[in-house]
Amino acid sequence: MPVIAPWSTARPAPLTTGREDTDDAMAAGTTVDHLTETYRAHYRSLLGLAALLLDDTASCEDVVQEAFIRVHSARRRVRDPEKTLAYLRQTVVNLSRSALRRRILGLKLLSKPMPDMASAEEGAYDQLERDQLIKAMKGLQRRQREVLVLRYFADMTEAQVAETLGISLGSVKAYGSRGIAALRVAMEAPA
């Protein structure tokens, strides 16, 4: 499968066909170069669109990449280069819907729980712990919460968190340390 990489700077030679007069207008804005520039400019916004429809980062990235692959394969049919982004957005929405349909179907087809699965009591305790963690997270200072979410839930390095939030690496470490200490106290406190 072709992969569209944002770092590719080499410009391929234009393809020539026997119908160059009619194809020039159609292919002018739908070249690989145009699609590459669209990728560079709009990848994050398309990823955000997929995130609104899906629940995990990996699925969002898969959907956006598949959308670019499909539009790349059908780029000759995109007559107006201004509509490339619209085609990509619609493809992301359609692929997200398909992914959700597959998930729903998979949940319907799941077999009954096996005897070695966690009991209902264990599930209830897990839910209580999650609720307690969410409540404790809401009680943190905004910056502590941001650092902890990016560091542990988004699985970023401390350097990536510092860059994302526009703060120093030392600040990330300090906010993270204080946030974990505050969570520890909040989680140990009787409810």
Side-chain angles (χ1 to χ4, degrees):
M1 293 185 121
V3 176
I4 301 170
W7 52 85
S8 175
T9 57
R11 294 191 180 262
L15 298 174
T16 57
T17 63
R19 304 174 302 167
E20 287 190 28
D21 293 344
T22 58
D23 286 344
D24 281 346
M26 182 176 81
T30 56
T31 62
V32 174
D33 290 339
H34 176 72
L35 202 53
T36 301
E37 289 303 316
T38 303
Y39 182 87
R40 287 183 182 137
H42 298 286
Y43 175 79
R44 287 185 185 263
S45 67
L46 291 169
L47 195 60
L49 174 62
L52 293 172
L53 301 170
L54 298 170
D55 56 354
D56 65 303
T57 305
S59 295
C60 296
E61 291 171 347
D62 290 344
V63 161
V64 173
Q65 188 65 29
E66 181 65 23
F68 273 98
I69 290 169
R70 289 189 182 192
V71 171
H72 176 270
S73 298
R75 69 186 183 278
R76 297 251 183 246
R77 289 183 285 182
V78 181
R79 297 186 191 280
D80 186 0
E82 299 299 319
K83 292 186 179 178
T84 303
L85 183 58
Y87 280 108
L88 281 165
R89 286 183 180 136
Q90 188 61 51
T91 305
V92 166
V93 169
N94 290 341
L95 289 171
S96 297
R97 287 177 183 159
S98 295
L100 290 174
R101 270 189 236 113
R102 282 191 303 276
R103 285 185 194 170
I104 290 169
L105 183 60
L107 290 174
K108 287 181 182 178
L109 297 177
L110 279 177
S111 62
K112 294 182 180 176
M114 300 301 288
D116 62 339
M117 292 182 73
S119 69
E121 292 171 342
E122 289 177 40
Y125 285 126
D126 289 344
Q127 183 64 41
L128 287 173
E129 282 185 353
R130 275 192 297 274
D131 292 345
Q132 187 180 5
L133 177 62
I134 291 170
K135 183 179 177 184
M137 288 289 289
K138 288 180 180 178
L140 294 177
Q141 294 177 2
R142 179 184 57 88
R143 200 56 103 170
Q144 291 173 347
R145 185 174 47 249
E146 290 171 349
V147 167
L148 292 179
V149 167
L150 292 175
R151 181 75 175 100
Y152 297 104
F153 292 100
D155 202 26
M156 290 182 167
T157 64
E158 289 174 338
Q160 290 170 328
V161 173
E163 182 180 335
T164 301
L165 296 178
I167 59 177
S168 70
L169 187 60
S171 295
V172 170
K173 291 178 181 182
Y175 285 124
S177 176
R178 290 182 192 135
I180 288 174
L183 279 179
R184 210 174 265 133
V185 169
M187 294 295 285
E188 291 173 359

